[in-house]
């Protein structure tokens, strides 16, 4: 069995951002030489997510508004976690958007559905953070 590991680094310009990482994961798969197997992508931080959904700007705005409705960033004082930090909302947003995705690798490609794209979801950005890509197979 072959195995491939790479860390993808991000430093967003704003606190919250959604980044389509599908092309980067596809490059990782190509570099791995793996034709059949599984690709795991996970955020390595507890205030960021990796998830799969549509790359459609209206939907991305819907995610922003939905998440702000569930766990608004402000006022910071509404959260017990915000004694020393201001990112309680980001922990909650990350939890609902998920930590990781696993994508089947078939015939050397990411075996995604027609509208499926892999996203890095940043909820407490403007600092360097990572996503782990691990691909196993043969
Ligand atoms: Zn925190």
């Amino acid at each position: 069995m072959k195995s491939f590991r790479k860390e993808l680094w991000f430093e967003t310009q704003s606190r919250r951002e959604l980044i389509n990482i599908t092309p980067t994961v596809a490059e990782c798969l190509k570099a791995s030489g793996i034709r059949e197997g599984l690709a795991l992508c996970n955020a390595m931080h507890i205030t960021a997510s990796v998830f799969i959904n549509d790359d459609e700007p209206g939907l991305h705005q819907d995610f922003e508004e939905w998440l702000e409705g569930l766990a608004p960033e402000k006022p910071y004082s509404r959260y017990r976690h915000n004694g020393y930090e201001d990112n309680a909302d980001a922990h909650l947003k990350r939890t609902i958007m998920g930590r990781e995705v696993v994508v089947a690798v078939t015939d050397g490609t990411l075996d995604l559905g027609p509208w499926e794209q892999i996203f890095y979801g940043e909820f407490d950005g403007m600092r360097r953070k990572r996503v782990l890509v691990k691909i196993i197979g043969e």
Side-chain angles (χ1 to χ4, degrees), residues 44-86:
M44 298 181 84
H45 302 264
I46 52 180
T47 53
S49 290
V50 173
F51 63 96
I52 290 179
N53 219 301
D54 195 359
D55 196 356
E56 195 279 304
L59 180 66
H60 295 180
Q61 191 60 37
D62 291 336
F63 275 130
E64 165 68 17
E65 289 169 17
W66 178 61
L67 290 169
E68 273 296 288
L70 287 172
E73 178 188 340
K74 294 170 185 169
Y76 297 122
S77 61
R78 72 180 267 149
Y79 300 105
R80 292 194 177 100
H81 179 66
N82 284 346
Y84 301 94
E85 295 187 276
D86 66 2

Side-chain angles (χ1 to χ4, degrees), residues 8-27:
L8 312 179
W9 286 87
F10 302 90
E11 185 169 358
T12 60
Q13 298 302 303
S14 54
R15 180 176 168 107
R16 289 189 290 282
E17 208 167 302
L18 303 184
I19 300 170
N20 188 337
I21 61 171
T22 314
T24 311
V25 178
E27 281 169 27

Side-chain angles (χ1 to χ4, degrees), residues 115-126:
W115 298 103
E116 286 190 318
Q117 295 287 297
I118 309 167
F119 287 90
Y120 175 63
E122 177 62 81
F123 305 115
D124 183 24
M126 299 180 287

